[in-house]
Amino acid sequence: MTTYSDDVLGRARVTDNADLHAYYDKLARLDAGALWTIANKIEPWFPQPESVPVKWSYQELRPLVLEALRLVSGDDAGRRVVALYNPRRRDIAATVGLLYSGLQIMGPGESMTAHRHQAAALRFVLEGTGAWTIVDGQKLKVGPRDFAITPNWTWHEHGNEGDDGPVIWQDGLDIPLVNAFDAGFYEVHPDVYQKQEGITNSSLHVYGAGQLRPFGDTWHKNHSPLLAYPWEPTYEALLNAAEATDGSPYDGIIMEYSNPLTGGSVMPTMSAHMQLLRPGESTLAHRQVGSKIYTAAKGSGTSVVAGQRIDWTEGDIFCVPSWAWHEHANASRSDDACLFSFNDFPVMRALGFFREEAYPDNDGHQPVG
Ligand code: 1HN
Protein backbone atom coordinates (compact mmCIF):
# COMPACT_ATOMS: atom_id res chain seq x y z
CA MET A 1 0.00 0.00 0.00
CA THR A 2 1.21 3.52 -0.79
CA THR A 3 1.86 5.73 2.18
CA TYR A 4 1.61 9.48 1.81
CA SER A 5 3.45 10.40 4.99
CA ASP A 6 6.77 12.16 4.54
CA ASP A 7 7.90 10.90 7.94
CA VAL A 8 9.17 7.62 6.55
CA LEU A 9 12.49 6.17 5.56
CA GLY A 10 12.90 7.02 1.86
CA ARG A 11 11.55 10.57 2.23
CA ALA A 12 13.58 13.60 3.31
CA ARG A 13 13.06 14.10 7.05
CA VAL A 14 15.95 16.24 8.29
CA THR A 15 15.17 18.39 11.33
CA ASP A 16 16.51 21.92 10.88
CA ASN A 17 18.91 23.42 13.40
CA ALA A 18 21.19 26.45 13.63
CA ASP A 19 24.18 24.66 12.12
CA LEU A 20 22.10 23.58 9.13
CA HIS A 21 20.74 27.10 8.60
CA ALA A 22 24.23 28.52 8.59
CA TYR A 23 25.20 25.80 6.11
CA TYR A 24 22.19 26.59 3.85
CA ASP A 25 23.23 30.26 3.84
CA LYS A 26 26.72 29.37 2.72
CA LEU A 27 25.35 27.20 -0.10
CA ALA A 28 22.89 29.90 -1.19
CA ARG A 29 25.72 32.37 -1.65
CA LEU A 30 27.22 29.95 -4.18
CA ASP A 31 23.90 29.44 -6.06
CA ALA A 32 23.54 26.02 -4.54
CA GLY A 33 21.30 24.41 -1.94
CA ALA A 34 20.65 21.26 0.09
CA LEU A 35 18.32 19.06 -1.94
CA TRP A 36 16.77 17.51 1.18
CA THR A 37 15.09 20.85 2.03
CA ILE A 38 12.99 20.73 -1.14
CA ALA A 39 13.08 17.06 -2.15
CA ASN A 40 9.59 16.22 -0.94
CA LYS A 41 8.12 19.31 -2.59
CA ILE A 42 9.67 18.66 -6.00
CA GLU A 43 8.88 14.96 -5.85
CA PRO A 44 5.26 14.84 -4.70
CA TRP A 45 3.62 11.47 -4.12
CA PHE A 46 1.09 12.41 -6.80
CA PRO A 47 0.51 15.51 -8.99
CA GLN A 48 0.03 18.72 -6.97
CA PRO A 49 -1.18 21.28 -9.53
CA GLU A 50 -0.91 24.98 -8.82
CA SER A 51 -4.03 25.33 -10.96
CA VAL A 52 -7.43 25.14 -9.32
CA PRO A 53 -10.83 24.38 -10.87
CA VAL A 54 -12.29 27.62 -12.27
CA LYS A 55 -15.49 28.44 -14.17
CA TRP A 56 -15.57 31.40 -16.56
CA SER A 57 -19.20 32.43 -16.99
CA TYR A 58 -20.00 33.39 -20.58
CA GLN A 59 -22.87 35.55 -19.45
CA GLU A 60 -20.48 37.56 -17.25
CA LEU A 61 -17.55 37.71 -19.66
CA ARG A 62 -19.42 38.29 -22.93
CA PRO A 63 -20.25 41.98 -22.27
CA LEU A 64 -16.57 42.63 -21.48
CA VAL A 65 -15.46 40.82 -24.61
CA LEU A 66 -17.89 42.98 -26.63
CA GLU A 67 -16.56 46.10 -24.89
CA ALA A 68 -13.08 45.36 -26.30
CA LEU A 69 -14.49 45.91 -29.80
CA ARG A 70 -14.71 49.65 -29.26
CA LEU A 71 -11.71 49.99 -26.94
CA VAL A 72 -9.00 48.53 -29.20
CA SER A 73 -8.66 47.89 -32.91
CA GLY A 74 -7.80 44.41 -34.11
CA ASP A 75 -4.69 45.78 -35.81
CA ASP A 76 -3.38 47.47 -32.66
CA ALA A 77 -4.14 44.54 -30.41
CA GLY A 78 -2.70 42.00 -32.89
CA ARG A 79 -5.49 39.75 -31.72
CA ARG A 80 -8.40 41.13 -29.68
CA VAL A 81 -8.58 38.53 -26.96
CA VAL A 82 -9.72 38.31 -23.36
CA ALA A 83 -7.45 35.72 -21.77
CA LEU A 84 -8.68 33.27 -19.13
CA TYR A 85 -6.27 32.96 -16.24
CA ASN A 86 -6.01 30.43 -13.49
CA PRO A 87 -5.47 32.57 -10.35
CA ARG A 88 -2.01 31.24 -9.44
CA ARG A 89 -0.85 30.83 -13.07
CA ARG A 90 -1.24 34.42 -14.32
CA ASP A 91 2.54 34.81 -14.47
CA ILE A 92 2.72 32.22 -17.24
CA ALA A 93 -0.65 33.16 -18.83
CA ALA A 94 -2.08 29.70 -18.20
CA THR A 95 -5.73 28.75 -18.00
CA VAL A 96 -4.86 25.42 -16.44
CA GLY A 97 -1.57 23.54 -16.21
CA LEU A 98 0.46 24.52 -19.28
CA LEU A 99 -2.57 25.27 -21.46
CA TYR A 100 -3.88 28.69 -22.37
CA SER A 101 -7.36 29.72 -23.48
CA GLY A 102 -9.09 33.00 -24.30
CA LEU A 103 -12.08 34.58 -26.01
CA GLN A 104 -11.31 36.33 -29.30
CA ILE A 105 -13.72 38.81 -30.87
CA MET A 106 -13.82 40.12 -34.44
CA GLY A 107 -16.27 42.75 -35.65
CA PRO A 108 -18.13 42.55 -38.96
CA GLY A 109 -15.82 43.21 -41.89
CA GLU A 110 -12.71 43.04 -39.76
CA SER A 111 -9.56 41.09 -40.59
CA MET A 112 -6.31 40.46 -38.74
CA THR A 113 -2.76 40.23 -40.07
CA ALA A 114 -0.88 36.96 -40.60
CA HIS A 115 1.75 35.58 -38.28
CA ARG A 116 3.09 32.25 -37.12
CA HIS A 117 4.51 30.96 -33.88
CA GLN A 118 5.88 27.86 -32.27
CA ALA A 119 2.75 27.42 -30.18
CA ALA A 120 -0.11 25.43 -31.67
CA ALA A 121 -3.63 26.82 -31.57
CA LEU A 122 -7.19 25.59 -31.86
CA ARG A 123 -10.49 27.42 -32.19
CA PHE A 124 -13.98 26.62 -31.01
CA VAL A 125 -16.62 29.03 -32.30
CA LEU A 126 -19.07 30.34 -29.73
CA GLU A 127 -21.13 32.79 -31.77
CA GLY A 128 -21.33 34.64 -35.07
CA THR A 129 -21.56 33.38 -38.60
CA GLY A 130 -18.92 35.25 -40.61
CA ALA A 131 -15.68 33.81 -39.23
CA TRP A 132 -12.86 32.73 -41.49
CA THR A 133 -9.24 31.89 -40.99
CA ILE A 134 -6.45 31.24 -43.49
CA VAL A 135 -4.02 28.55 -42.33
CA ASP A 136 -0.94 28.14 -44.53
CA GLY A 137 -2.87 29.49 -47.50
CA GLN A 138 -6.01 27.44 -46.90
CA LYS A 139 -9.12 29.47 -46.16
CA LEU A 140 -11.54 27.93 -43.66
CA LYS A 141 -14.99 29.22 -42.91
CA VAL A 142 -16.27 28.34 -39.48
CA GLY A 143 -19.58 28.81 -37.70
CA PRO A 144 -20.97 28.22 -34.22
CA ARG A 145 -19.72 25.01 -32.54
CA ASP A 146 -17.22 24.35 -35.34
CA PHE A 147 -13.72 23.31 -34.36
CA ALA A 148 -10.57 24.26 -36.30
CA ILE A 149 -6.85 23.88 -35.81
CA THR A 150 -3.84 26.11 -36.40
CA PRO A 151 -0.88 23.71 -36.07
CA ASN A 152 2.37 25.17 -34.85
CA TRP A 153 4.45 27.28 -37.22
CA THR A 154 1.58 27.58 -39.72
CA TRP A 155 0.84 31.08 -41.04
CA HIS A 156 -2.56 32.24 -39.86
CA GLU A 157 -4.83 35.23 -40.07
CA HIS A 158 -8.51 35.58 -39.35
CA GLY A 159 -11.49 37.74 -40.05
CA ASN A 160 -15.22 38.15 -39.93
CA GLU A 161 -16.85 38.61 -43.32
CA GLY A 162 -20.37 38.55 -41.94
CA ASP A 163 -22.47 41.68 -41.58
CA ASP A 164 -24.70 40.49 -38.78
CA GLY A 165 -22.60 41.06 -35.72
CA PRO A 166 -19.36 40.01 -34.14
CA VAL A 167 -17.76 36.60 -34.06
CA ILE A 168 -16.59 35.28 -30.71
CA TRP A 169 -14.50 32.17 -30.69
CA GLN A 170 -12.46 30.43 -28.05
CA ASP A 171 -8.75 30.07 -28.66
CA GLY A 172 -6.78 27.22 -27.12
CA LEU A 173 -2.99 27.29 -27.25
CA ASP A 174 -0.08 25.40 -25.74
CA ILE A 175 1.85 28.64 -25.15
CA PRO A 176 2.74 28.01 -21.49
CA LEU A 177 4.03 24.57 -22.50
CA VAL A 178 6.16 25.99 -25.31
CA ASN A 179 7.47 28.71 -22.99
CA ALA A 180 8.20 26.19 -20.23
CA PHE A 181 10.57 24.57 -22.71
CA ASP A 182 12.03 27.94 -23.83
CA ALA A 183 11.05 26.93 -27.34
CA GLY A 184 9.03 29.95 -28.49
CA PHE A 185 9.53 31.62 -31.89
CA TYR A 186 7.33 34.18 -33.64
CA GLU A 187 7.23 35.77 -37.10
CA VAL A 188 5.07 38.35 -38.83
CA HIS A 189 4.15 37.36 -42.39
CA PRO A 190 6.49 39.08 -44.90
CA ASP A 191 3.49 40.25 -46.96
CA VAL A 192 1.38 41.00 -43.85
CA TYR A 193 -1.50 39.03 -45.39
CA GLN A 194 -1.55 35.61 -47.05
CA LYS A 195 -3.02 34.80 -50.43
CA GLN A 196 -5.70 32.15 -50.42
CA GLU A 197 -4.64 29.02 -52.27
CA GLY A 198 -7.21 26.63 -53.66
CA ILE A 199 -10.85 26.50 -52.67
CA THR A 200 -12.30 27.39 -49.28
CA ASN A 201 -12.30 24.46 -46.80
CA SER A 202 -10.17 22.43 -49.23
CA SER A 203 -8.97 20.03 -46.50
CA LEU A 204 -12.60 19.13 -45.77
CA HIS A 205 -13.09 18.31 -49.44
CA VAL A 206 -10.05 16.04 -49.50
CA TYR A 207 -9.95 14.55 -46.00
CA GLY A 208 -13.45 15.09 -44.60
CA ALA A 209 -15.13 11.98 -45.96
CA GLY A 210 -14.88 9.89 -42.81
CA GLN A 211 -13.79 6.37 -43.72
CA LEU A 212 -12.45 7.32 -47.17
CA ARG A 213 -8.90 8.58 -47.52
CA PRO A 214 -7.15 9.86 -50.60
CA PHE A 215 -5.37 6.80 -51.96
CA GLY A 216 -1.59 7.08 -52.23
CA ASP A 217 -1.55 10.19 -50.06
CA THR A 218 1.89 11.51 -49.16
CA TRP A 219 0.95 13.70 -46.17
CA HIS A 220 3.87 13.56 -43.77
CA LYS A 221 3.31 16.33 -41.22
CA ASN A 222 2.79 15.64 -37.52
CA HIS A 223 -0.67 17.21 -37.43
CA SER A 224 -3.99 16.40 -39.01
CA PRO A 225 -4.32 17.32 -42.70
CA LEU A 226 -7.96 18.12 -41.89
CA LEU A 227 -8.02 21.66 -40.47
CA ALA A 228 -11.72 22.16 -39.76
CA TYR A 229 -14.27 19.94 -38.06
CA PRO A 230 -17.80 21.29 -38.55
CA TRP A 231 -20.46 20.87 -35.90
CA GLU A 232 -23.16 19.06 -37.91
CA PRO A 233 -21.22 15.84 -38.69
CA THR A 234 -19.75 15.92 -35.19
CA TYR A 235 -23.18 16.03 -33.56
CA GLU A 236 -24.49 13.43 -35.98
CA ALA A 237 -21.62 11.09 -35.10
CA LEU A 238 -22.46 11.44 -31.41
CA LEU A 239 -26.18 10.80 -31.98
CA ASN A 240 -25.41 7.78 -34.13
CA ALA A 241 -23.03 6.36 -31.55
CA ALA A 242 -25.64 6.94 -28.83
CA GLU A 243 -28.00 4.65 -30.72
CA ALA A 244 -25.46 1.88 -30.90
CA THR A 245 -23.46 2.06 -27.66
CA ASP A 246 -23.74 2.99 -23.99
CA GLY A 247 -20.61 5.14 -24.27
CA SER A 248 -18.25 5.71 -21.38
CA PRO A 249 -19.42 5.59 -17.74
CA TYR A 250 -17.17 8.62 -17.13
CA ASP A 251 -17.90 10.71 -20.22
CA GLY A 252 -21.13 9.59 -21.83
CA ILE A 253 -20.84 9.44 -25.61
CA ILE A 254 -17.44 10.90 -26.37
CA MET A 255 -15.58 11.37 -29.66
CA GLU A 256 -12.06 12.58 -30.24
CA TYR A 257 -11.45 14.95 -33.16
CA SER A 258 -8.86 12.91 -34.95
CA ASN A 259 -6.27 12.98 -37.68
CA PRO A 260 -8.07 10.95 -40.36
CA LEU A 261 -4.80 9.42 -41.56
CA THR A 262 -3.58 8.13 -38.21
CA GLY A 263 -6.64 8.05 -35.97
CA GLY A 264 -4.52 9.98 -33.46
CA SER A 265 -4.88 13.45 -32.00
CA VAL A 266 -5.22 16.46 -34.31
CA MET A 267 -1.89 17.92 -33.18
CA PRO A 268 1.09 16.49 -31.26
CA THR A 269 0.55 18.59 -28.14
CA MET A 270 -3.21 19.00 -27.88
CA SER A 271 -6.22 16.80 -28.43
CA ALA A 272 -9.88 17.80 -28.47
CA HIS A 273 -13.14 16.01 -27.78
CA MET A 274 -16.84 16.53 -28.09
CA GLN A 275 -19.06 14.57 -25.75
CA LEU A 276 -22.77 14.12 -25.45
CA LEU A 277 -24.61 13.61 -22.18
CA ARG A 278 -28.01 12.08 -22.80
CA PRO A 279 -31.10 13.52 -21.11
CA GLY A 280 -30.80 12.90 -17.36
CA GLU A 281 -27.37 11.28 -17.71
CA SER A 282 -24.82 11.63 -14.94
CA THR A 283 -21.38 10.08 -15.17
CA LEU A 284 -18.99 8.52 -12.69
CA ALA A 285 -15.87 10.31 -11.45
CA HIS A 286 -12.42 9.62 -12.83
CA ARG A 287 -9.10 11.43 -13.13
CA GLN A 288 -6.20 11.61 -15.53
CA VAL A 289 -2.68 13.00 -15.64
CA GLY A 290 -3.04 16.04 -17.89
CA SER A 291 -5.02 19.27 -17.94
CA LYS A 292 -8.39 19.84 -19.58
CA ILE A 293 -10.45 22.86 -20.58
CA TYR A 294 -14.17 22.32 -21.15
CA THR A 295 -16.69 24.48 -22.98
CA ALA A 296 -20.42 23.97 -22.67
CA ALA A 297 -21.36 23.63 -26.34
CA LYS A 298 -25.03 22.73 -25.98
CA GLY A 299 -27.51 22.52 -23.13
CA SER A 300 -26.70 22.86 -19.46
CA GLY A 301 -25.49 20.73 -16.64
CA THR A 302 -23.32 20.34 -13.60
CA SER A 303 -19.82 19.00 -13.28
CA VAL A 304 -17.98 18.24 -10.07
CA VAL A 305 -14.26 18.99 -10.26
CA ALA A 306 -12.04 18.21 -7.27
CA GLY A 307 -15.13 18.25 -5.06
CA GLN A 308 -16.26 21.63 -6.40
CA ARG A 309 -19.67 21.93 -8.03
CA ILE A 310 -19.65 23.77 -11.37
CA ASP A 311 -22.98 24.61 -12.99
CA TRP A 312 -22.63 25.32 -16.69
CA THR A 313 -24.71 26.55 -19.55
CA GLU A 314 -23.86 27.31 -23.19
CA GLY A 315 -20.62 29.24 -23.61
CA ASP A 316 -19.34 28.64 -20.08
CA ILE A 317 -15.76 27.43 -19.84
CA PHE A 318 -14.25 25.51 -16.94
CA CYS A 319 -11.01 23.70 -16.29
CA VAL A 320 -9.92 20.43 -14.76
CA PRO A 321 -6.39 20.46 -13.32
CA SER A 322 -4.23 17.39 -13.66
CA TRP A 323 -5.23 14.42 -11.50
CA ALA A 324 -8.42 16.14 -10.28
CA TRP A 325 -11.50 13.94 -9.94
CA HIS A 326 -14.27 15.04 -12.28
CA GLU A 327 -17.73 13.91 -13.29
CA HIS A 328 -20.52 15.45 -15.36
CA ALA A 329 -24.31 15.56 -15.35
CA ASN A 330 -26.84 16.79 -17.86
CA ALA A 331 -29.34 19.07 -16.07
CA SER A 332 -32.15 18.31 -18.48
CA ARG A 333 -34.41 15.24 -18.55
CA SER A 334 -35.57 16.01 -22.10
CA ASP A 335 -32.61 17.51 -24.02
CA ASP A 336 -29.09 16.32 -24.58
CA ALA A 337 -26.07 18.39 -23.52
CA CYS A 338 -22.67 18.60 -25.22
CA LEU A 339 -19.27 19.47 -23.80
CA PHE A 340 -16.35 20.44 -26.00
CA SER A 341 -12.94 19.98 -24.39
CA PHE A 342 -9.27 20.10 -25.23
CA ASN A 343 -6.31 18.77 -23.32
CA ASP A 344 -2.57 18.08 -23.29
CA PHE A 345 -2.97 14.29 -23.19
CA PRO A 346 -0.91 13.72 -26.37
CA VAL A 347 2.09 15.16 -24.51
CA MET A 348 1.39 13.03 -21.45
CA ARG A 349 1.12 9.90 -23.58
CA ALA A 350 4.20 10.67 -25.69
CA LEU A 351 6.31 11.17 -22.56
CA GLY A 352 4.93 8.15 -20.75
CA PHE A 353 3.23 10.31 -18.07
CA PHE A 354 -0.37 9.37 -18.77
CA ARG A 355 -2.38 7.65 -16.02
CA GLU A 356 -6.07 7.32 -15.50
CA GLU A 357 -8.18 5.94 -12.70
CA ALA A 358 -11.77 5.64 -11.55
CA TYR A 359 -13.04 7.05 -8.26
CA PRO A 360 -13.04 3.97 -6.07
CA ASP A 361 -15.58 4.73 -3.33
CA ASN A 362 -19.08 6.00 -2.78
CA ASP A 363 -20.56 4.28 -5.87
CA GLY A 364 -18.09 6.15 -8.07
CA HIS A 365 -19.04 9.70 -7.09
CA GLN A 366 -16.77 12.10 -5.22
CA PRO A 367 -18.07 14.08 -2.24
CA VAL A 368 -19.15 17.64 -3.12
CA GLY A 369 -18.33 20.82 -1.23
C1 1HN B 1 -2.60 34.03 -31.30
O1 1HN B 1 -1.70 34.07 -32.30
C2 1HN B 1 -3.96 34.01 -31.61
O2 1HN B 1 -3.61 33.97 -33.93
C3 1HN B 1 -4.88 33.96 -30.59
O3 1HN B 1 -5.61 34.16 -33.21
C4 1HN B 1 -4.50 33.93 -29.28
C5 1HN B 1 -2.77 33.95 -27.64
C6 1HN B 1 -1.47 34.01 -27.31
C7 1HN B 1 -0.51 34.06 -28.29
C8 1HN B 1 -0.85 34.05 -29.62
C9 1HN B 1 -4.42 34.05 -33.02
C10 1HN B 1 -3.16 33.97 -28.95
C11 1HN B 1 -2.19 34.01 -29.97
Side-chain angles (χ1 to χ4, degrees):
M1 212 191 79
T2 311
T3 170
Y4 293 128
S5 166
D6 281 336
D7 191 14
V8 289
L9 190 59
R11 292 298 268 184
R13 46 177 185 159
V14 174
T15 309
D16 281 353
N17 59 38
D19 284 350
L20 280 170
H21 278 287
Y23 174 66
Y24 298 154
D25 289 345
K26 286 189 280 185
L27 285 176
R29 268 177 244 128
L30 298 177
D31 290 322
L35 180 63
W36 60 85
T37 62
I38 58 152
N40 295 346
K41 182 171 191 298
I42 65 169
E43 287 193 285
W45 294 103
F46 50 86
Q48 302 281 349
E50 285 285 317
S51 300
V52 292
V54 179
K55 180 183 104 169
W56 292 270
S57 156
Y58 195 56
Q59 198 201 322
E60 284 176 355
L61 271 175
R62 186 176 179 276
L64 297 179
V65 174
L66 289 170
E67 200 175 335
L69 263 185
R70 65 171 177 81
L71 290 174
V72 291
S73 75
D75 279 341
D76 287 346
R79 300 291 191 249
R80 197 191 291 102
V81 178
V82 170
L84 308 178
Y85 294 133
N86 210 278
R88 301 233 302 266
R89 305 290 273 175
R90 285 185 87 97
D91 54 334
I92 59 162
T95 303
V96 63
L98 295 174
L99 294 176
Y100 157 94
S101 197
L103 296 173
Q104 175 157 184
I105 182 162
M106 293 177 286
E110 202 169 32
S111 61
M112 312 279 159
T113 55
H115 65 212
R116 64 180 176 181
H117 37 68
Q118 199 56 65
L122 54 83
R123 329 281 171 190
F124 184 69
V125 181
L126 296 178
E127 61 176 275
T129 53
W132 58 267
T133 173
I134 303 179
V135 179
D136 268 356
Q138 183 182 149
K139 183 168 181 177
L140 315 172
K141 292 188 73 166
V142 285
R145 297 174 176 147
D146 288 354
F147 169 67
I149 59 170
T150 310
N152 71 12
W153 212 238
T154 54
W155 294 113
H156 55 284
E157 65 197 86
H158 330 297
N160 173 0
E161 62 193 18
D163 48 18
D164 60 345
V167 161
I168 302 179
W169 74 30
Q170 179 186 0
D171 295 311
L173 288 97
D174 56 9
I175 288 204
L177 175 79
V178 172
N179 288 342
F181 285 125
D182 290 330
F185 290 88
Y186 185 98
E187 278 180 8
V188 171
H189 194 281
D191 302 327
V192 186
Y193 299 100
Q194 302 173 79
K195 282 188 197 58
Q196 178 178 353
E197 294 161 18
I199 65 168
T200 298
N201 287 347
S202 63
S203 73
L204 263 165
H205 287 257
V206 179
Y207 293 100
Q211 56 280 68
L212 293 169
R213 299 175 194 175
F215 185 62
D217 190 61
T218 55
W219 182 264
H220 60 276
K221 298 182 181 172
N222 68 356
H223 61 80
S224 173
L226 188 59
L227 301 180
Y229 297 74
W231 163 248
E232 289 76 14
T234 306
Y235 186 51
E236 193 186 336
L238 291 166
L239 291 178
N240 284 339
E243 282 179 27
T245 74
D246 293 334
S248 151
Y250 312 102
D251 284 311
I253 306 291
I254 181 161
M255 293 281 174
E256 181 176 15
Y257 294 95
S258 70
N259 175 334
L261 298 181
T262 64
S265 58
V266 286
M267 295 186 286
T269 55
M270 293 187 288
S271 181
H273 294 82
M274 183 66 82
Q275 69 194 82
L276 180 141
L277 303 167
R278 288 152 288 195
E281 178 167 11
S282 60
T283 70
L284 302 178
H286 70 161
R287 64 182 177 183
Q288 292 128 334
V289 173
S291 303
K292 290 202 265 195
I293 298 172
Y294 284 89
T295 309
K298 181 175 187 289
S300 58
T302 300
S303 298
V304 182
V305 181
Q308 190 177 314
R309 185 188 158 120
I310 293 176
D311 295 317
W312 43 262
T313 188
E314 267 184 53
D316 289 349
I317 295 169
F318 62 94
C319 67
V320 176
S322 183
W323 211 230
W325 296 113
H326 55 285
E327 58 197 276
H328 312 291
N330 181 351
S332 169
R333 306 225 145 256
S334 53
D335 299 321
D336 56 32
C338 293
L339 287 170
F340 167 80
S341 63
F342 70 96
N343 60 65
D344 55 11
F345 291 0
V347 179
M348 300 302 142
R349 290 188 200 278
L351 300 182
F353 297 163
F354 192 75
R355 294 188 191 204
E356 183 168 34
E357 66 182 33
Y359 193 75
D361 307 318
N362 197 26
D363 292 330
H365 297 284
Q366 61 194 300
V368 185

